[in-house]
Amino acid sequence: MLQKILILCLCVVAGIHHPVIADTSKVIATAGATTIEGAAGGGIVPWAVINGYASTEQWSATAMSTLVTVDDFTLQAVGASLSVDNRFEVSLTKQTFDLDTMGGKLGQDIIGIKYKLAGELLYTSLPQISVGLQYKRVDDFTIPNAVGARNDWGLDAYLAASKVYFDAIAGRNLVTNLTLRATKANQTGLLGFGTTTNNDYHLQTEVSVALLLTDNIALGYEYKQKPNQLSFAKEDDWQDIFMAWFINKHLSLVGAYANLGSIAGFERQKGWYLSIEGTL
Amino acid sequence: MLTTRHYFSALMLGLLLLLTACASQPSQLYQQLGGTQGIAQITDRFLVNLSQDKRIVHHFAQTDIEIFRQRLIEHLCVISGGECQYNGASMYDAHIGLHINQADFDAVVGHLINALKQQNVPIATRNALLAKLAPMYQDITYH
């Protein structure tokens, strides 16, 4: 199903006034990486940047695979995205969350869209501002239901502002990002949405900063605020320190050390994050 | 008796002296780019890169490349704080009717970065120059 939607999107794009071959005019690293939720960004925070290196009147496609291994859990995310005109992005992502210590697994599918509203990452004093939606649906509602989640699907909405400051620190360019997200998700949706007693949206703040040590290597930090609403176990905010290597405009690698805090009663979940991304 | 006006005058005089002192020697950025000679070499590499890009070379079909080259050298010199005079039109006027879009601008930025790298300009110098050039986007594109 996901693949069919992507192929359909590709055909639609190719059918409009765009060239058949993807193009790559954007400056290297300005596409960012891809988050575990499929949107262009850091590792866990979506940015206002649009995935891929397509500029105006161009299109781009990406595919990514990410592995996060913390003490008692393993998250895998695979996804693909399509972007048009450096304006619009659609992404499809499948997450699998193995409960290594407890046994069993959780999972969710995420369909994301992002639209650039204003500003240009590199060129305007106004930050680049984008709005995004993420439709999420869990694979199996049994466990989320058992721990008190209300729904097996949810819709996150976010507003992201990103800006590059040239020559900011030691002559290096600094990428800054602020994202405000409205969400009902428990553990980003892996444990369902809302609770049996509360179905309100929560406004959360997410930030990323990254310094481009070279043109294609970035060192950064991310913080993702999360709701803490299920009574069975505490949910913590997430953070990570990452190093991204944009080998060229077609291949990038991100390694990170992530601190995911308490998950389902398992405290201090820390570990490694590794992501590979290919871009057309 | 010293009045507020005296203080103000003294302050302005001091500021003027400071500015004159700054203006009397070419800026660090200009020197880091290798002065006028370095800027000319960067410009030549940049023009070669542009000429080889099929996506954007059509924008220069009506351009007198020798004059364009000279104006570009002057412009980069002035922007980087060198003691030059820019004899060209404003960035806005120079791009009227050329319908330059973001993809064109992105491509040109890429070629400039490559030219600076080919010329072994250090990353901090490159970024300092880009900081001055990037805001020209709004004067150059979409008109």
Side-chain angles (χ1 to χ4, degrees):
Chain A
M1 180 61 189
L2 295 182
Q3 288 89 334
K4 277 183 189 166
I5 293 172
L6 189 69
I7 290 164
L8 182 69
C9 291
L10 273 168
C11 294
V12 168
V13 167
I16 316 172
H17 55 282
H18 293 78
V20 180
I21 298 168
D23 217 332
T24 58
S25 290
K26 279 164 70 175
V27 176
I28 194 153
T30 59
T34 298
T35 68
I36 51 173
E37 294 175 326
I44 56 174
V45 177
W47 297 355
V49 302
I50 303 295
N51 230 335
Y53 287 99
S55 189
T56 50
E57 295 178 32
Q58 300 175 347
W59 63 272
S60 181
T62 71
M64 67 84 179
S65 177
T66 301
L67 184 70
V68 189
T69 56
V70 293
D71 299 79
D72 298 292
F73 305 97
T74 302
L75 174 72
Q76 290 180 71
V78 290
S81 81
L82 181 77
S83 64
V84 185
D85 285 345
N86 193 23
R87 171 73 61 184
F88 179 73
E89 165 191 307
V90 57
S91 59
L92 306 162
T93 308
K94 186 158 195 59
Q95 290 184 349
T96 310
F97 192 73
D98 285 306
L99 313 173
D100 302 331
T101 307
M102 299 159 71
K105 66 179 174 183
L106 302 167
Q108 64 177 338
D109 289 342
I110 304 168
I111 300 174
I113 57 170
K114 190 195 289 183
Y115 185 81
K116 180 170 70 181
L117 296 173
E120 296 300 337
L121 181 72
L122 301 178
Y123 306 136
T124 58
S125 48
L126 182 75
Q128 181 162 324
I129 298 168
S130 297
V131 62
L133 292 174
Q134 292 175 338
Y135 169 82
K136 303 174 173 182
R137 189 177 195 97
V138 302
D139 296 343
D140 182 344
F141 194 49
T142 311
I143 294 174
N145 191 32
V147 299
R150 176 185 289 256
N151 289 313
D152 66 349
W153 69 274
L155 188 66
D156 284 8
Y158 63 87
L159 191 67
S162 306
K163 184 167 168 57
V164 167
Y165 293 92
F166 289 103
D167 188 20
I169 298 170
R172 297 326 195 257
N173 299 337
L174 184 71
V175 188
T176 57
N177 184 83
L178 175 67
T179 301
L180 296 176
R181 180 194 298 257
T183 183
K184 296 179 182 181
N186 306 311
Q187 295 292 4
T188 77
L190 290 164
L191 284 176
F193 303 84
T195 69
T196 46
T197 54
N198 189 332
N199 197 31
D200 293 341
Y201 268 102
H202 299 266
L203 191 63
Q204 306 291 301
T205 304
E206 305 175 7
V207 293
S208 303
V209 288
L211 192 66
L212 281 152
L213 303 176
T214 70
D215 295 278
N216 61 347
I217 294 178
L219 178 65
Y221 169 78
E222 295 183 288
Y223 190 93
K224 180 186 180 74
Q225 189 186 24
K226 288 158 66 243
N228 175 23
Q229 50 181 358
L230 286 175
S231 54
F232 92 104
K234 183 162 67 94
E235 174 172 350
D236 282 330
D237 298 344
W238 285 358
Q239 49 191 321
D240 69 80
I241 297 168
F242 68 88
M243 177 86 85
W245 180 24
F246 304 92
I247 298 166
N248 53 45
K249 289 187 185 176
H250 301 291
L251 186 64
S252 63
L253 293 174
V254 179
Y257 186 71
N259 182 351
L260 308 186
S262 182
I263 298 177
F266 290 85
E267 301 292 323
R268 292 183 290 281
Q269 296 298 307
K270 294 176 184 172
W272 297 98
Y273 169 114
L274 187 66
S275 182
I276 182 168
E277 178 174 344
T279 306
L280 264 184
Chain B
M1 194 177 80
L2 286 174
T3 63
T4 316
R5 222 171 75 190
H6 285 109
Y7 280 119
F8 184 72
S9 304
L11 188 70
M12 289 314 286
L13 186 68
L15 205 63
L16 195 68
L17 285 170
L18 197 70
L19 286 172
T20 317
C22 289
S24 66
Q25 69 184 100
S27 87
Q28 215 180 346
L29 179 57
Y30 171 77
Q31 286 172 344
Q32 284 163 344
L33 289 170
T36 306
Q37 195 190 349
I39 288 172
Q41 286 168 349
I42 292 161
T43 302
D44 289 340
R45 287 190 188 271
F46 175 57
L47 290 175
V48 169
N49 294 348
L50 286 183
S51 71
Q52 290 168 348
D53 188 340
K54 291 194 185 84
R55 297 170 301 181
I56 53 171
V57 73
H58 64 274
H59 283 301
F60 300 91
Q62 307 295 321
T63 305
D64 181 323
I65 297 299
E66 189 43 49
I67 292 177
F68 180 69
R69 175 181 178 275
Q70 199 50 46
R71 295 290 170 268
L72 199 53
I73 292 170
E74 291 167 8
H75 201 195
L76 290 173
C77 174
V78 171
I79 283 167
S80 63
E83 291 175 333
C84 306
Q85 191 182 345
Y86 174 60
N87 297 304
S90 73
M91 281 298 100
Y92 185 89
D93 291 341
H95 296 89
I96 284 178
L98 293 181
H99 306 294
I100 292 168
N101 67 16
Q102 184 176 109
D104 300 326
F105 194 87
D106 279 337
V108 167
V109 170
H111 291 311
L112 179 66
I113 291 170
N114 284 339
L116 291 163
K117 281 170 145 179
Q118 288 160 350
Q119 203 59 27
N120 297 318
V121 174
I123 185 168
T125 307
R126 277 192 273 131
N127 291 340
L129 182 63
L130 289 176
K132 293 184 182 296
L133 296 173
M136 292 177 186
Y137 174 80
Q138 283 172 311
D139 278 346
I140 290 174
T141 55
Y142 297 105
H143 63 79

